Amino acid sequence: MKTAIISKNLGKQYVIHHKKDTAYKYKTFREAIVNKVSSIIRPSKNNFQKEEKFWALKDINFEIKQGERVAIIGRNGAGKSTLLKLLSRITEPTAGEARINGKVASLLEVGTGFHPELTGRENIFLNASILGMKKSSIKKRFNEIVEFAGIEKFLDTPVKRYSSGMYIRLGFSVMAHLDVEILVIDEVLAVGDAAFQKKCLGKMEETAKSGRTILFVSHNMTAVRSLCNRAILLNEGKMVTDGGVNEVINTYYDSFSHLCPEKTWDTKNAPGNHLFEFVSVRVCNKAGKTISRFSNSEDIYAEITYKNLVEDNTIGVMAALYNQDGIGIFNSLSNHEPKWH
């Protein structure tokens, strides 16, 4: 199978400048002006900028075959977007190299490739042309692009007046209808509503079946599972693992296992109000063992210990469970009088 992307020891280093704080604080505008003029005449060594270098990505190695659907996952700041920018040639690597075999279309930020003063119609032709599409091909697919984006009413409106959702719909629609071999998509799809996200995933699945390669960055593991057959996990700029999508997602979730499934408060900092205060909260299994991870078929128990501050006070307890995407799974309200503590 033909290789679409190769990354060899790829790295990106950034330099952050820190201006040294001065002990003297100017109280008036006049003092600030005088000090500025003085610093030009007699530059002070105390106001230098300190440089700090850090690697946003380092030693990234992988090979992606044509037609693979690869997710890039990891926490915020892991280097996911930096990797996509390097692969899309938006920024140059500090170390290593990336080889791309095929025409690439990228959707990395809201409004990528759009000119704010031009209309939606004009930007379709401009954006598609920049990405290598011939005018005859653009005309042939113009109606499909507009219909998919759902911007018919605003087609001749300057895109600077578009909402972020409209930007994304149009940008994705242009990209999805291009004759390219590789699609690179960042988390920007999260800007759209649920219906459009579903529509985009359907289009990407259709695109993948045609043999095109997809690189997809997302925090939505449900979308990753449904679209991708492989995943790469990044953490603090380094590659943790590369493999089957379910295996890599499980490794990603394991990285949160250090988060304590139990919390105890003393009287000084216990949350609560004038009626009660929390003593402890823990998550446990059926056997009563505190645990941070469960299988889908296993029962989950939450043990909440609190102290009543008012005599004869009855408190109902409500618990809500959310998945990793912030979607509520269920909630429960106690329907019996709790034990006294």
Side-chain angles (χ1 to χ4, degrees):
M1 189 180 292
K2 182 182 176 183
T3 298
I5 301 171
I6 297 177
S7 173
K8 288 186 177 181
N9 302 317
L10 195 63
K12 181 65 179 180
Q13 186 185 69
Y14 289 101
V15 178
I16 303 175
H17 296 280
H18 299 284
K19 188 172 182 180
K20 189 175 180 181
D21 291 332
T22 56
Y24 185 80
K25 303 295 181 183
Y26 309 116
K27 296 180 181 180
T28 67
F29 181 65
R30 181 178 177 276
E31 288 174 345
I33 293 288
V34 170
N35 183 77
K36 185 66 178 177
V37 173
S38 298
S39 66
I40 294 172
I41 300 171
R42 300 184 301 275
S44 172
K45 294 182 180 180
N46 295 325
N47 291 327
F48 69 91
Q49 286 193 337
K50 184 180 178 181
E51 288 187 352
E52 177 188 349
K53 295 180 180 180
F54 83 100
W55 288 91
L57 281 177
K58 194 170 186 180
D59 298 327
I60 304 299
N61 293 280
F62 59 80
E63 182 176 329
I64 297 173
K65 299 293 185 182
Q66 184 179 5
E68 281 194 288
R69 306 183 304 279
V70 183
I72 311 295
I73 64 174
R75 301 187 191 188
N76 290 333
K80 304 183 298 295
S81 295
T82 301
L83 176 58
L84 295 194
K85 287 178 181 178
L86 290 173
L87 296 178
S88 301
R89 307 285 194 237
I90 291 173
T91 186
E92 289 295 316
T94 308
E97 62 175 336
R99 293 186 213 157
I100 312 295
N101 299 316
K103 198 179 292 183
V104 181
S106 304
L107 186 62
L108 306 183
E109 297 175 355
V110 176
T112 300
F114 288 161
H115 191 295
E117 298 297 333
L118 300 180
T119 65
R121 184 190 302 275
E122 291 165 335
N123 269 293
I124 289 174
F125 281 93
L126 174 64
N127 197 240
S129 297
I130 291 172
L131 293 170
M133 202 169 174
K134 293 181 180 179
K135 192 171 183 180
S136 57
S137 297
I138 301 172
K139 286 183 176 180
K140 186 178 178 181
R141 299 188 180 181
F142 183 82
N143 290 336
E144 291 178 52
I145 293 171
V146 174
E147 184 180 352
F148 188 94
I151 59 155
E152 294 90 341
K153 291 183 180 179
F154 309 97
L155 193 55
D156 295 306
T157 300
V159 297
K160 66 181 181 182
R161 296 195 171 92
Y162 283 16
S163 66
S164 58
M166 290 168 68
Y167 259 111
I168 288 300
R169 291 203 303 272
L170 183 56
F172 180 86
S173 185
V174 172
M175 185 192 66
H177 290 85
L178 288 174
D179 294 319
V180 294
E181 289 82 22
I182 302 169
L183 295 182
V184 178
I185 306 167
D186 205 343
E187 186 70 271
V188 288
L189 291 184
V191 177
D193 56 33
F196 186 71
Q197 287 180 36
K198 185 176 179 180
K199 193 175 179 182
C200 287
L201 287 172
K203 186 65 179 176
M204 284 192 285
E205 287 175 2
E206 178 188 319
T207 298
K209 289 176 182 176
S210 68
R212 286 192 273 182
T213 306
I214 294 178
L215 256 64
F216 182 44
V217 164
S218 180
H219 289 285
N220 186 333
M221 296 302 121
T222 302
V224 167
R225 278 195 174 98
S226 66
L227 176 66
C228 302
N229 53 14
R230 176 182 166 191
I232 294 172
L233 174 61
L234 299 179
N235 184 46
E236 295 182 349
K238 296 181 180 179
M239 202 164 91
V240 178
T241 187
D242 176 1
V245 66
N246 288 322
E247 174 191 345
V248 175
I249 287 175
N250 287 338
T251 302
Y252 173 55
Y253 286 154
D254 284 342
S255 69
F256 294 94
S257 61
H258 68 283
L259 299 176
C260 184
E262 184 173 12
K263 177 72 176 178
T264 301
W265 296 274
D266 56 35
T267 304
K268 291 181 180 179
N269 58 16
N273 54 32
H274 66 286
L275 299 176
F276 81 102
E277 65 182 31
F278 282 103
V279 175
S280 66
V281 176
R282 76 184 183 105
V283 180
C284 55
N285 59 15
K286 192 174 183 179
K289 180 183 177 182
T290 302
I291 192 167
S292 60
R293 189 173 178 184
F294 299 82
S295 66
N296 290 338
S297 59
E298 195 173 357
D299 291 334
I300 302 173
Y301 295 83
E303 181 183 276
I304 302 172
T305 305
Y306 62 91
K307 183 194 297 182
N308 266 323
L309 303 179
V310 177
E311 190 176 352
D312 297 327
N313 182 43
T314 301
I315 295 174
V317 178
M318 180 179 177
L321 180 66
Y322 296 84
N323 68 8
Q324 68 275 9
D325 302 318
I327 300 171
I329 304 299
F330 72 87
N331 57 56
S332 177
L333 180 65
S334 60
N335 56 6
H336 63 279
E337 189 172 326
K339 295 178 181 178
W340 289 83
H341 293 280

